[in-house]
Amino acid sequence: WIFADGVSADVRDRYFDYQSTFTLNNPRDAVLYISAYSQYAVYLNGQFVNCGQMAGYEHLQFYDTLDITDFLVPGANTLLVQQYVCGADFSTEHKQIPGVIFALYND
């Protein structure tokens, strides 16, 4: 997990950005697996890919599977995940330190 720096579980109504740059020589059949506490939006190379929120718990996390093949270019690529944290307890969400986890697979 990548956690927001210096933030407690009591954070409410805030946005966080997570960014990573990576290089692919031959991008094809690429899939992004992503899970986030609260809601997220994914951008690749400045283009909006998708957004969502998979309900999860600290002991049981879920993830989305996104086909990102059409957003990749040969060479350097920049992945940006923007996260919104409501910060309130619900039946499908428990307050926790904001964070995201993702994995990218290419071919």
Side-chain angles (χ1 to χ4, degrees), residues 1 36-39 83-85 87-88 93-99:
W1 283 89
Y37 164 63
S38 252
Q39 301 170 11
Q83 176 189 31
Y84 170 71
V85 176
E93 192 173 293
H94 178 69
K95 288 194 308 185
Q96 57 188 358
I97 296 172

Side-chain angles (χ1 to χ4, degrees), residues 45-90:
N45 299 319
Q47 294 184 300
F48 175 74
V49 175
N50 208 331
C51 60
Q53 185 269 331
M54 288 296 293
Y57 304 93
E58 292 174 12
H59 65 283
L60 179 62
Q61 295 292 325
F62 299 96
Y63 60 90
D64 286 336
T65 304
L66 307 176
D67 182 347
I68 59 169
T69 307
D70 293 341
F71 299 92
L72 296 172
V73 296
N77 291 268
T78 300
L79 172 71
L80 172 65
V81 177
Q82 294 183 321
Q83 176 189 31
Y84 170 71
V85 176
C86 174
D89 287 332
F90 294 99

Side-chain angles (χ1 to χ4, degrees), residues 21-31 44-45 68-69 71-78 104-107:
T21 300
F22 57 94
T23 302
L24 293 174
N25 293 328
N26 189 15
R28 64 175 183 257
D29 299 324
V31 176
L44 247 168
N45 299 319
I68 59 169
T69 307
F71 299 92
L72 296 172
V73 296
N77 291 268
T78 300
L104 187 147
Y105 289 89
N106 181 53
D107 193 28

Side-chain angles (χ1 to χ4, degrees), residues 2-13:
I2 304 167
F3 295 106
D5 286 339
V7 177
S8 74
D10 292 326
V11 65
R12 293 183 69 103
D13 196 30

